[in-house]
Amino acid sequence: MMSASRCAVFAAVPLLCLASTAQALNWQAAPLYETIELKSGFQPDPHQISISAGGDIDASEAGPNCSGFVNGETPDLDINFQAGQYPLTIYVESEADTTLVVYDANGNWHCNDDYSTTSGNNPALQWSSAPSGNYNVWVGTFNPGEMPQAVVKVSERDPEWTGMPSDSSSSTTPVNNSGDIEWGDNTSRWANDGECDDPRFAGEGVHSLNVDEDRYHDAVDCQSLYEQGRITLASESGTVNSSNDIQWGDNTSQWSNDGECDDPRFAGPGVNANNLAEDRYHDAADCQSLYGQGQIYLQ
C-alpha cells in the first residue's frame, strides 16, 4: 500500500511507483531461440535447450519481485504446453548466477532467483496445476550485457540437482492454482504496487494495514502473489474468521444448493442480492463453499 509519502522517499527511482501496465517485456514477440511444443507425459523428461542468458532490460519491468537483466524485445523461449495430471517445472542450470521470468498461460508474471539451498544460483518455477497454453520464458543475469551460457529445462518432476531430497516439492517456488478465487477488480488506490491490499488475504505479500474498502479491489497484485505462494486466503491460513470458526447452520433454506449464498450474514460477489432474514444460518453448503473460494465474507 504505497502512500504518497512512500513514493517520495523513492523519488530518485520512479519505477518503484509505476503501475504494472508500463510493461517493457514483449511477451507477444516471436522467441529469440525456439518455440517448444510439449504434451503432458513428454519424453525425454526433462526437455532442454541451451541459450545465452541475459540482456539489457531490467526484469523488474515484469513485477517488483523480479530481478536481473533480460532480453526485453523478445522472450528467449516459448513453450506451448498441453497440461495433464502432473506439475510443470521450468528451471535453469548455469555456471553463472541467473534469474528466471515466465509469463504463463493465464497471463500472469512469475519470477525466481535462487530456487533452494541445494540449487546454487539456479532458479526454478513450478505449477502444481499447470494451465494449458503458451508460456513465455526469459533467463536473466545480474549485470546488463552479460551473455553466459545456460540450459533451460522443462520437466513434470522436481529439478534434478544433486542433493535434492525426494520430497523436495515442498521447497519449490510454487505457483498455486487461483482459478476458483473471485479476484474482483483493480479499483483500489493501492492497486499495482506489488503488495496485496485485499483484507481477505494473509502472508508475507500482504500489506499490514489493509482496510475493508479494498476487499475485492486489488486483483492483479493479489492473484500474482497468491500464485507465487506468498499469500493465502485468510480462510486457508486459519486466520481472520477461519471457516472452522463460523457457525454455518443447516441447508433448510428453499434456496439451498443453488450455487449462491443466501444467508444475509455474508457479503461479496457470491451472495444473492435479495437475501432474507429467514435464511440466516440456513444455506450452509453454498455459503461455506463460496467462503472457502474467497467469493464471500462474513460481515
Side-chain angles (χ1 to χ4, degrees):
M1 190 178 293
M2 189 171 287
S3 65
S5 61
R6 286 165 69 179
C7 284
V9 172
F10 298 106
V13 191
L15 177 62
L16 295 178
C17 295
L18 288 176
S20 63
T21 53
Q23 192 58 253
L25 274 64
N26 186 2
W27 60 269
Q28 295 175 305
L32 181 62
Y33 291 97
E34 187 175 325
T35 296
I36 302 168
E37 304 285 343
L38 293 175
K39 181 179 179 180
S40 182
F42 59 85
Q43 293 293 328
D45 183 346
H47 180 96
Q48 62 187 54
I49 180 172
S50 297
I51 68 168
S52 294
D56 55 6
I57 298 296
D58 192 331
S60 65
E61 294 286 349
N65 301 309
C66 301
S67 56
F69 289 85
V70 299
N71 176 41
E73 295 181 359
T74 70
D76 292 321
L77 300 170
D78 277 2
I79 303 169
N80 289 325
F81 181 63
Q82 185 175 334
Q85 61 180 317
Y86 305 111
L88 173 67
T89 306
I90 301 173
Y91 60 107
V92 179
E93 291 184 340
S94 176
E95 293 183 0
D97 189 355
T98 55
T99 65
L100 179 63
V101 179
V102 176
Y103 185 73
D104 74 11
N106 281 337
N108 298 307
W109 292 95
H110 308 283
C111 300
N112 182 245
D113 178 9
D114 298 334
Y115 168 84
S116 72
T117 56
T118 58
S119 70
N121 294 320
N122 293 317
L125 289 164
Q126 185 177 76
W127 287 254
S128 58
S129 299
S132 295
N134 183 244
Y135 294 73
N136 309 111
V137 180
W138 291 258
V139 180
T141 58
F142 278 96
N143 293 309
E146 293 182 345
M147 300 293 287
Q149 290 299 299
V151 178
V152 180
K153 297 190 175 184
V154 186
S155 178
E156 293 185 298
R157 300 174 297 194
D158 291 330
E160 52 190 340
W161 289 303
T162 301
M164 184 69 69
S166 60
D167 62 349
S168 61
S169 59
S170 61
S171 63
T172 306
T173 300
V175 178
N176 294 326
N177 184 3
S178 62
D180 294 332
I181 296 176
E182 175 61 45
W183 295 103
D185 54 42
N186 290 289
T187 56
S188 167
R189 63 182 294 197
W190 314 112
N192 300 307
D193 68 349
E195 294 179 305
C196 177
D197 301 292
D198 185 328
R200 293 179 297 152
F201 295 89
E204 63 171 318
V206 170
H207 192 271
S208 59
L209 300 174
N210 286 348
V211 294
D212 197 64
E213 67 188 42
D214 290 321
R215 193 180 296 268
Y216 298 100
H217 298 311
D218 191 16
V220 168
D221 284 334
C222 296
Q223 185 172 4
S224 176
L225 289 163
Y226 182 88
E227 292 179 344
Q228 295 172 37
R230 299 183 60 206
I231 66 173
T232 62
L233 270 174
S235 58
E236 295 173 340
S237 62
T239 62
V240 190
N241 290 326
S242 166
S243 177
N244 294 330
D245 297 332
I246 296 175
Q247 178 60 50
W248 295 104
D250 55 41
N251 291 290
T252 57
S253 167
Q254 65 172 316
W255 313 111
S256 291
N257 301 305
D258 66 350
E260 293 182 307
C261 178
D262 301 291
D263 185 328
R265 294 179 298 153
F266 296 88
V271 171
N272 187 282
N274 299 309
N275 285 347
L276 304 174
E278 66 192 47
D279 290 319
R280 188 183 296 270
Y281 295 100
H282 298 309
D283 192 17
D286 283 334
C287 297
Q288 187 169 9
S289 175
L290 291 162
Y291 183 89
Q293 297 170 32
Q295 297 194 45
I296 67 172
Y297 61 97
L298 189 64
Q299 299 188 89

